[in-house]
Amino acid sequence: MAWTGDHSQRPAEVFTVIHATPAMHQEAVLLGSNAVVAWLDRDIRASPQDIAAAIVQEMGMLAEDVSVVRHFPEAYLVRFSHQHHCADAAGRRDLKFRDTRLQMRSWRLEAHSKNVDLVHHVRLCLDGLPLQAWDEFAVAQAIGPECSID
């Protein structure tokens, strides 16, 4: 009899389709009006907090009005609380950042989102795996061949 945690009864592959919801459409509209993608002219290390601080300083806005996260394929996604800040940033196209320039372009649905297979990073709690079994081989066996360990 199979029980909920019986790995032998689970399928080898699982596919999920997520249909667009009204909230997803609303988020796309909000990103289109309040977000820019950004990257640095030179390959230097900068945290999202450093980028946010530079934008706040150069554009003269409040720190809580801008949020920066890492973004692929561009380096950063900058989200503004106010549409006029986003329009100003996109209009400037670049800002001074240390000894280089921070390039900014408007986020557009057509250019910055598409249906692709995404590789997801998850943190997984494996109950019942004894301490001596915590090696790469045992964990790989526990999570299955469709996953990789980072």
Side-chain angles (χ1 to χ4, degrees):
M1 180 172 153
W3 51 281
T4 306
D6 187 357
H7 300 292
S8 66
Q9 299 300 316
R10 293 186 182 167
E13 290 186 62
V14 177
F15 297 95
T16 303
V17 175
I18 300 174
H19 297 281
T21 64
M24 288 180 189
H25 291 294
Q26 184 178 7
E27 181 68 16
V29 169
L30 189 62
L31 286 171
S33 64
N34 288 44
V36 297
V37 291
W39 64 94
L40 295 167
D41 278 345
R42 293 190 340 189
D43 190 22
I44 60 173
R45 288 188 174 262
S47 71
Q49 293 82 9
D50 294 339
I51 299 297
I55 291 170
V56 166
Q57 180 181 356
E58 288 288 319
M59 294 184 62
M61 65 178 64
L62 299 174
E64 55 268 8
D65 288 343
V66 64
S67 170
V68 180
V69 295
R70 296 208 182 276
H71 180 68
F72 180 81
E74 294 84 8
Y76 307 97
L77 176 71
V78 183
R79 188 171 179 160
F80 297 94
S81 296
H82 305 289
Q83 188 175 2
H84 66 276
H85 288 154
C86 182
D88 183 20
R92 290 181 186 211
R93 298 184 62 90
D94 66 15
L95 293 176
K96 184 178 183 318
F97 182 82
R98 298 181 188 156
D99 58 347
T100 188
R101 305 296 290 177
L102 176 68
Q103 301 291 324
M104 297 182 293
R105 302 295 182 269
S106 296
W107 184 91
R108 293 178 309 134
L109 181 67
E110 303 81 22
H112 301 105
S113 69
K114 53 185 156 183
N115 295 324
V116 295
D117 291 333
L118 300 176
V119 178
H120 296 281
H121 260 48
V122 296
R123 291 184 182 188
L124 182 64
C125 177
L126 296 174
D127 288 331
L129 193 63
L131 186 60
Q132 70 272 15
W134 276 99
D135 65 16
E136 214 169 296
F137 177 76
V139 173
Q141 292 295 315
I143 64 174
E146 303 305 316
C147 300
S148 62
I149 299 171
D150 183 5

